[in-house]
Amino acid sequence: MTKKQIAVSAVQALKKEYPDALCSLQYTDPLQLLIATRLAAQCTDARVNMVTPALFERFKTVDDFANADVSEVAQYIKSCGLYKTKSQDIVAMAKMLRDDFGGKVPDTVEQLIKLPGIGRKTANLVCGDIYGKPAVVVDTHCIRITRRLGLHDLKDQKKIEFALRELLPPEESNDFCHRLVLHGRAVCTARNPKCDECCMKDFCKKCL
């Protein structure tokens, strides 16, 4: 099988295994997703979802966050880890959204990565989940599983993103990445993957 054929087969297998491809972070608007994703760095989504309700109740708008005291934001997100850096980024991000983007979350990766603390992974997530654009969210699950499938042998996240863009159907790429997270947690774990239970074992290079 070619890499393109493997990619298409993986899309189909995961779609059947995980029909509901949803982001596990809880949010109600683009700003909340942007902030929740920043908080999720080196932190579980479950922990972020425990923290954000109170945070978003206290700070509801871009202006609220832009005018916030960094130390107060930090107190709300303390259990997420790296809270000092994250709180500084969130306030600085909100100020840039207010001052440079008219208070709206941009809809392109190129604009989003200008925001403090926002990398390509978060930018792709926002573009895919909020704006419905083709996106490839390269997180640890995506890197691990797509490498095991034989789709690449890369380590650089940006290079992996562009390699996968060439292989995945654009309309499927965002949901595919959400499904990789679910599969990575349940089956294709970092240690001791359950290859005998995997829906992709017939064409995954690690399983063969």
Side-chain angles (χ1 to χ4, degrees):
M1 294 176 74
T2 65
K3 289 183 179 180
K4 191 100 173 177
Q5 289 172 326
I6 293 171
V8 172
S9 296
V11 166
Q12 294 170 344
L14 290 175
K15 184 185 287 190
K16 184 177 180 181
E17 192 76 8
Y18 309 97
D20 299 321
L22 299 174
C23 177
S24 53
L25 292 170
Q26 296 171 0
Y27 63 94
T28 59
D29 59 46
L31 177 64
Q32 289 188 1
L33 178 60
L34 195 64
I35 291 172
T37 310
R38 179 66 190 95
L39 293 176
Q42 297 184 40
C43 178
T44 65
D45 290 355
R47 168 57 60 182
V48 173
N49 289 337
M50 292 172 64
V51 165
T52 49
L55 178 70
F56 295 150
E57 179 63 28
R58 173 66 180 87
F59 305 102
K60 294 182 172 66
T61 66
V62 168
D63 285 340
D64 288 344
F65 277 106
N67 295 326
D69 187 292
V70 172
S71 61
E72 184 182 1
V73 174
Q75 289 304 309
Y76 280 91
I77 66 171
K78 205 165 187 176
S79 64
C80 285
L82 304 175
Y83 66 94
K84 291 182 179 179
T85 300
K86 290 178 181 178
S87 58
Q88 291 169 354
D89 284 345
I90 288 169
V91 173
M93 177 201 311
K95 288 179 178 177
M96 184 176 283
L97 288 172
R98 179 193 64 193
D99 298 340
D100 297 353
F101 295 102
K104 295 183 179 179
V105 175
D107 64 353
T108 69
V109 170
E110 291 70 28
Q111 289 179 314
L112 283 161
I113 60 176
K114 294 178 182 178
L115 297 170
I118 300 304
R120 296 191 67 86
K121 181 178 77 170
T122 297
N124 270 280
L125 181 64
V126 171
C127 285
D129 276 30
I130 297 297
Y131 297 111
K133 294 186 173 185
V136 177
V137 181
V138 182
D139 64 1
T140 55
H141 298 292
C142 177
I143 294 170
R144 180 177 70 254
I145 298 173
T146 54
R147 183 183 291 133
R148 286 175 175 173
L149 283 167
L151 299 181
H152 64 84
D153 58 0
L154 304 167
K155 294 183 179 179
D156 181 80
Q157 285 183 299
K158 185 175 181 179
K159 290 180 180 178
I160 293 171
E161 176 195 328
F162 281 92
L164 293 177
R165 283 183 183 276
E166 292 295 316
L167 298 172
L168 294 167
E171 69 280 5
E172 298 283 1
S173 59
N174 191 54
D175 286 348
F176 175 72
C177 292
H178 284 320
R179 292 182 174 112
L180 287 177
V181 174
L182 298 174
H183 194 63
R185 289 172 178 166
V187 179
C188 196
T189 52
R191 297 181 181 180
N192 303 316
K194 304 168 187 173
C195 292
D196 56 328
E197 299 178 18
C198 182
C199 60
M200 299 184 287
K201 63 184 177 183
D202 291 341
F203 53 84
C204 176
K205 291 198 173 181
K206 180 173 178 59
C207 294
L208 293 175

